[in-house]
Amino acid sequence: MPIVDLGDLVSGKSVEDSHYILQEVLSACHYKRAIPVIIGGSNDFAFSLFSGLHFHQKNINYTQISNIISLKQGESINEHTFLSKILGSKNFSIKNYHHLGYQKHLNEQDSVKLIKEVEFDIVRLAEMMNSTEKTEPFFRKSRFGNGKL
């Protein structure tokens, strides 16, 4: 399977510009039938990833790797609001959401409880240690994901 490194994303003049650039790159990947893997950056780029690919496909299986589950509300897209914008948007349809690698002591119990109540998958970092057995199916099922631990 051929693998291509597209290099570093050049930041725009504003955060919104950077989000737009990433969405365009992801859209181009989709047209080329390429599977994008995003490494690094801040978690708010997950919103760009999601919206860029959602344009082409609905009912997406999404996997997020992060030590924090933040469902805070806000006008702007940032580290604390991106997930509520993805899960709460009327423009997006998400089939399944998988959150891997969260750390219990860093998260508000209400956020963790809500993710579990809506029957999305959630796996603590401690459960992932030394074995890929539990998490591998989530990656196989996902159309795309984003991660940062």
Side-chain angles (χ1 to χ4, degrees):
M1 178 182 301
I3 297 175
V4 177
D5 182 350
L6 297 177
D8 295 338
L9 179 71
V10 177
S11 297
K13 290 183 180 181
S14 68
V15 173
E16 291 79 15
D17 290 344
S18 297
H19 282 274
Y20 177 77
I21 293 166
L22 180 58
Q23 287 175 8
E24 290 297 309
V25 169
L26 294 170
S27 185
C29 287
H30 178 79
Y31 282 124
K32 295 286 186 181
R33 299 176 55 115
I35 299 170
V37 177
I38 312 299
I39 300 171
S42 58
N43 280 333
D44 59 306
F45 280 109
F47 183 82
S48 298
L49 175 67
F50 190 86
S51 58
L53 295 176
H54 189 268
F55 178 77
H56 301 284
Q57 181 175 345
K58 308 302 181 226
N59 293 321
I60 294 173
N61 287 315
Y62 178 74
T63 300
Q64 176 75 26
I65 303 171
S66 176
N67 60 348
I68 296 183
I69 301 169
S70 179
L71 297 173
K72 293 183 180 176
Q73 302 290 315
E75 290 296 316
S76 62
I77 298 168
N78 60 47
E79 288 268 335
H80 304 289
T81 63
F82 78 94
L83 189 55
S84 63
K85 293 206 178 284
I86 290 172
L87 298 177
S89 176
K90 293 179 181 176
N91 298 327
F92 297 147
S93 55
I94 190 163
K95 184 176 181 179
N96 289 305
Y97 174 73
H98 318 289
H99 195 105
L100 310 178
Y102 87 98
Q103 293 179 307
K104 191 174 181 177
H105 66 282
L106 297 176
N107 289 280
E108 297 176 10
Q109 286 302 316
D110 291 341
S111 296
V112 174
K113 184 179 176 184
L114 181 60
I115 295 291
K116 288 179 179 179
E117 283 176 0
V118 295
E119 298 182 357
F120 287 141
D121 296 299
I122 184 169
V123 181
R124 287 181 38 230
L125 180 61
E127 296 174 83
M128 296 172 57
M129 302 297 282
N130 301 320
S131 174
T132 59
E133 202 171 292
K134 187 166 186 162
T135 57
E136 187 273 333
F138 299 127
F139 292 109
R140 193 173 353 101
K141 293 176 193 173
S142 287
R143 286 296 291 148
F144 68 95
N146 180 46
K148 181 179 171 187
L149 283 176

